[in-house]
Amino acid sequence: MNHEITKTALINATSIYYEYLQNYNLGCEQLQILGINIQESIIKFFIKAKFVNTDSLMLDVCGRYTPLSEEAGFCVLFYDEKTGILAIECLDCALLEKIEKHKNDIKLFSDLKFLIRNLEMFFENAKSFALPTKNPPLAKKPLLAQNTPLNQNPLTQNPPSPTKSNPSQSPSTAQNQHIEIDSSFTPKDYLNAEQKSALMCALSEPFSYIWGAPGSGKTQVVLFEALLYYIYNGLPVCVLAPTNSALEQVLIALISKFDTLGLNREKILRLGTPSNAFLEKYTEVCDPQVLQKKAKDSLFSTTTPKARLKEALLIGMTMDGFIKKHASLGIDFCHFFLDECAFTPLIKALVLTTQNTPITLLGDHKQLMPICEMPTSQIKGDKIWANLFNLSSLFLEDFFAHSAEISAPIFGKSQSSPLCFTQDNSAKTAFCILRQTHRYGDNLAKILDSHIYHNGLKGKQENTQIFYIDCPNAIIEDKQNITEARAIAALTKELDKQKPPLSQNDFSDFAIITPFIKQKKLLSDCGVSYRRIWTIHGSQGQEFDTVIFSPVMLHHHLTDSRNTNASYALNVAISRIKKQLIIVCDRAYWLRFRGQFLSEILANALPFPNQANLTISQNPLKKTSSQSHLNTPTKHPSKDIEIIKI
């Protein structure tokens, strides 16, 4: 493939996407500042926002639009989702004085265009693009046996210095060379057959995809054992994820597993801005630049960034963080592991193909695809290059199948197009499926397999607890369901009173998920805590013991499982649960739709315990612009209901 043609295509894509965001005033959101507290050089913003991408923050100080980056004189310390506190340090004394003087006029933005520029700069400096051909490096020693005592565990000591790959080996030589895992390596007995196969695949193939439903062992088994393999041999690896939330979820799972082995946490490094909860619990894992600013008396405050990078073997970053920082790290990674790969845009994943480093994708393409601000109706003609933002990283092989010219097939594909490596044995992507999940009982797994996965998904013997709260004769208008909202408000009021330890059903860790933004607003207006309410897209990467789902209505794009994208969105909502699912809806309404995913779940659900004791308010809400229609409620018709299409 001609690298200059590829580079031109990628730069065209970033330029077109940036121009679209600029012209339609998209990708830039002003964050509502509730208050500002300044102590010495530390500035704390109290903001109202569920999700904040700390890589895209911009500050407006008296008309001066400045990114919150070190180059601009700022250091983002942390963002606490629960309290809404964003802490930064201002390193420029003159700028700090200006902020103190005009703090009532300060504006804070999240501007995705800043990230697009970083991506464009990365591509401009890149020299080559290709799927990796270099096989993962062989281990020199076998993995620890399961019964190795911790006091004999070399992982708790300093491993040998990383070995460099042989620079004299050309890509063609690496591609033609048959390489196998060291014969002394044997996957541990606790892995099932599919997990063992996936692990061997990741450790022997230059480019692989591990597909599995939540709880199938992608992270806590396959990824963990692969990372253990590398760390044991002193080889640096990089774990990546599309969002901060997704990155921290995977790191928390991995750290917990490593802790049981007595692994020194300083072998793990999370670059970028952590959440406050992560920072407090896993301090020694966090970016040293953040730690140096956190507390003067911190045990880790004297550790320099270079020293931490030198001693760490597992480095975690968001994709945006990698794009921004990779050139300055100076690390020759031995393997890239990209989690939540289906949610990662293809164009961002392409930065990993500039290194000829083995890549393993982990994820579930039966969930949400990337969010592209540019509608597909606009991605055509000379704007077709922007399709690289719409497709997921799982189309990497498709991208390199043809020269990246405007007529290439990749620019005509959609999110629902078949993945090429599932079609024949000549594919360059080594593909493994994990079909056994411990997250769901077999009752829910069978429904998921029937409607979503179609691959023989199996769950654990113990059934998942599925409940419903019936809201007959629901009042619906403009994608809002007032009956569901009031029932959920009453339910959450009761659940908030509970404190662990609880008896049979523990509902203390719960969240409300709905497909509709307007329903989220209505739930908040009904008295439900704003920080407990999520849209399906916003909940991506989150996990809760209990999910309360408000479906609102049958909607072609969001809740009609006959539409592939809607079925994947519903899968995301259901897969957030760890223990219980509660669906609040007009049950009879949904059961009329035979063959629907939600209908089958409801047919297998039990009435919620003590539903009769819920005190559901019938008082009118305070009238707002989003609720003016509620004065003239519309009820579900008693006869057949047509699917709404927009």
Side-chain angles (χ1 to χ4, degrees):
M1 178 175 282
N2 187 306
H3 300 306
E4 287 304 317
I5 291 178
T6 302
K7 178 183 287 192
T8 300
L10 298 179
I11 293 175
N12 283 344
T14 55
S15 299
I16 290 167
Y17 195 61
Y18 184 97
E19 182 181 3
Y20 181 85
L21 296 178
Q22 183 81 19
N23 291 343
Y24 289 89
N25 196 26
L26 296 171
C28 186
E29 176 188 4
Q30 182 173 349
L31 305 178
Q32 184 180 353
I33 300 175
L34 304 178
I36 300 177
N37 179 270
I38 303 175
Q39 292 185 351
E40 297 182 346
S41 61
I42 307 299
I43 306 170
K44 288 186 178 179
F45 293 94
F46 299 85
I47 60 179
K48 184 177 180 181
K50 181 67 67 65
F51 171 77
V52 173
N53 185 338
T54 55
D55 293 316
S56 65
L57 293 176
M58 308 284 284
L59 200 63
D60 181 354
V61 184
C62 299
R64 178 183 173 184
Y65 200 51
T66 308
L68 292 186
S69 63
E70 294 175 53
E71 296 80 4
F74 293 102
C75 177
V76 181
L77 303 181
F78 65 83
Y79 174 62
D80 187 346
E81 298 91 341
K82 292 185 178 180
T83 61
I85 296 176
L86 171 71
I88 68 172
E89 180 172 27
C90 182
L91 309 174
D92 184 327
C93 294
L95 183 56
L96 178 63
E97 184 177 345
K98 196 171 185 179
I99 291 172
E100 288 179 318
K101 184 177 180 180
H102 301 281
K103 71 176 185 178
N104 293 331
D105 300 319
I106 298 293
K107 295 177 182 178
L108 185 64
F109 297 88
S110 175
D111 193 347
L112 298 181
K113 296 191 295 296
F114 179 63
L115 303 179
I116 305 303
R117 284 294 186 223
N118 287 343
L119 185 60
E120 186 175 40
M121 289 174 60
F122 186 102
F123 290 140
E124 286 174 348
N125 295 323
K127 296 180 180 178
S128 63
F129 303 87
L131 285 178
T133 55
K134 183 169 64 177
N135 294 78
L138 297 180
K140 298 176 182 178
K141 303 174 184 177
L143 282 175
L144 291 171
Q146 282 183 276
N147 58 354
T148 303
L150 287 182
N151 60 3
Q152 298 177 18
N153 187 344
L155 288 174
T156 60
Q157 306 167 8
N158 289 326
S161 300
T163 59
K164 297 286 185 180
S165 56
N166 185 357
S168 64
Q169 186 181 40
S170 67
S172 59
T173 303
Q175 186 176 18
N176 296 328
Q177 184 180 18
H178 179 66
I179 296 181
E180 297 179 349
I181 292 293
D182 192 322
S183 60
S184 62
F185 172 78
T186 304
K188 295 178 182 177
D189 292 338
Y190 82 93
L191 280 70
N192 63 38
E194 289 182 338
Q195 291 168 344
K196 288 179 181 179
S197 176
L199 175 60
M200 298 295 280
C201 174
L203 292 177
S204 61
E205 298 288 344
F207 186 55
S208 55
Y209 170 41
I210 314 300
W211 172 37
S216 58
K218 296 187 302 292
T219 300
Q220 298 201 41
V221 178
V222 177
L223 178 57
F224 167 73
E225 291 292 345
L227 295 174
L228 187 62
Y229 178 92
Y230 279 107
I231 292 175
Y232 185 73
N233 289 277
L235 302 172
V237 291
C238 185
V239 174
L240 298 154
T243 65
N244 266 305
S245 176
L247 176 64
E248 293 191 352
Q249 286 286 348
V250 67
L251 288 179
I252 289 169
L254 293 171
I255 292 169
S256 175
K257 297 275 288 186
F258 284 130
D259 282 351
T260 63
L261 294 176
L263 174 69
N264 187 343
R265 284 187 179 181
E266 291 183 7
K267 301 302 175 190
I268 305 170
L269 176 59
R270 184 251 195 267
L271 292 179
T273 306
S275 65
N276 193 48
F278 188 92
L279 177 62
E280 294 296 332
K281 192 170 182 179
Y282 306 102
T283 305
E284 59 271 54
V285 171
C286 293
D287 194 325
Q289 292 181 321
V290 172
L291 296 178
Q292 288 174 343
K293 307 297 186 296
K294 180 177 179 287
K296 294 179 181 179
D297 59 349
S298 169
L299 176 64
F300 306 96
S301 61
T302 58
T303 305
T304 65
K306 285 187 177 180
R308 283 295 282 120
L309 285 171
K310 186 176 181 180
E311 68 183 352
L313 292 172
L314 191 170
I315 297 178
M317 288 179 277
T318 62
M319 282 302 303
D320 289 321
F322 178 86
I323 291 165
K324 180 181 178 181
K325 298 181 179 181
H326 175 261
S328 64
L329 295 179
I331 300 176
D332 186 12
F333 289 112
C334 292
H335 206 129
F336 292 125
F337 293 92
L338 175 58
D339 199 33
E340 296 282 2
C341 62
F343 196 59
T344 304
L346 171 59
I347 195 163
K348 290 186 179 181
L350 281 163
V351 305
L352 303 180
T353 67
T354 62
Q355 317 290 314
N356 195 25
T357 298
I359 300 171
T360 295
L361 308 176
L362 303 104
D364 182 1
H365 57 274
K366 300 287 187 172
Q367 296 200 15
L368 290 177
M369 296 290 114
I371 298 174
C372 180
E373 296 283 355
M374 191 172 180
T376 54
S377 60
Q378 297 287 323
I379 304 176
K380 58 185 179 181
D382 60 354
K383 310 293 184 185
I384 198 70
W385 308 101
N387 200 38
L388 301 180
F389 283 93
N390 184 51
L391 301 177
S392 82
S393 67
L394 292 168
F395 287 89
L396 276 169
E397 184 172 334
D398 290 85
F399 179 84
F400 287 108
H402 303 274
S403 179
E405 298 178 11
I406 198 166
S407 59
I410 188 67
F411 296 109
K413 290 186 178 289
S414 67
Q415 291 185 344
S416 58
S417 295
L419 301 173
C420 78
F421 52 81
T422 63
Q423 304 304 306
D424 55 58
N425 295 327
S426 65
K428 296 179 181 179
T429 308
F431 179 47
C432 294
I433 307 176
L434 304 177
R435 299 178 178 89
Q436 182 73 39
T437 175
H438 66 81
R439 173 74 67 86
Y440 312 125
D442 211 38
N443 60 331
L444 183 54
K446 286 179 179 177
I447 299 173
L448 285 164
D449 188 53
S450 174
H451 289 268
I452 310 291
Y453 288 98
H454 311 293
N455 65 4
L457 182 68
K458 295 181 179 179
K460 58 185 180 180
Q461 232 176 358
E462 181 185 355
N463 283 343
T464 297
Q465 294 180 319
I466 306 175
F467 302 103
Y468 68 86
I469 292 179
D470 195 15
C471 301
N473 303 314
I475 303 171
I476 298 178
E477 187 72 26
D478 195 23
K479 304 182 184 69
Q480 290 178 299
N481 188 317
I482 182 62
T483 314
E484 286 181 8
R486 283 172 169 162
I488 290 172
L491 174 61
T492 57
K493 187 176 181 181
E494 291 300 314
L495 297 185
D496 281 330
K497 295 177 182 177
Q498 299 186 23
K499 293 183 180 179
L502 302 174
S503 55
Q504 183 180 0
N505 298 316
D506 181 355
F507 300 102
S508 56
D509 174 29
F510 68 90
I512 300 95
I513 299 178
T514 181
F516 300 96
I517 294 174
K518 290 185 177 181
Q519 181 72 355
K520 177 183 174 183
K521 172 66 168 62
L522 180 61
L523 284 161
S524 179
D525 290 336
C526 285
V528 180
S529 172
Y530 173 79
R531 299 196 177 277
R532 287 213 186 257
I533 314 168
W534 302 80
T535 60
I536 290 177
H537 283 79
S539 70
Q540 181 90 346
Q542 302 292 327
E543 291 181 354
F544 310 95
D545 285 345
T546 301
V547 166
I548 302 167
F549 187 59
S550 173
V552 179
M553 63 193 296
L554 188 66
H555 187 287
H556 177 69
H557 293 284
L558 295 172
T559 57
D560 179 5
S561 59
R562 291 178 294 182
N563 174 10
T564 299
N565 289 337
S567 68
Y568 290 178
L570 291 171
N571 187 27
V572 170
I574 301 304
S575 65
R576 301 309 95 196
I577 70 169
K578 292 191 286 186
K579 294 180 180 178
Q580 298 105 355
L581 172 65
I582 306 172
I583 302 179
V584 181
C585 66
D586 183 341
R587 187 167 181 264
Y589 164 79
W590 283 99
L591 290 179
R592 282 195 286 268
F593 297 106
R594 294 183 179 181
Q596 285 289 333
F597 177 50
L598 285 179
S599 302
E600 188 168 349
I601 291 179
L602 285 166
N604 289 271
L606 298 173
F608 182 73
N610 301 320
Q611 175 181 341
N613 296 332
L614 296 179
T615 305
I616 300 177
S617 172
Q618 299 299 324
N619 295 329
L621 298 176
K622 183 178 179 181
K623 186 175 179 180
T624 66
S625 58
S626 66
Q627 297 150 3
S628 58
H629 58 273
L630 294 177
N631 291 337
T632 55
T634 302
K635 295 186 177 182
H636 288 315
S638 58
K639 297 183 179 180
D640 292 341
I641 302 168
E642 294 183 358
I643 298 172
I644 297 175
K645 294 187 178 183
I646 60 174

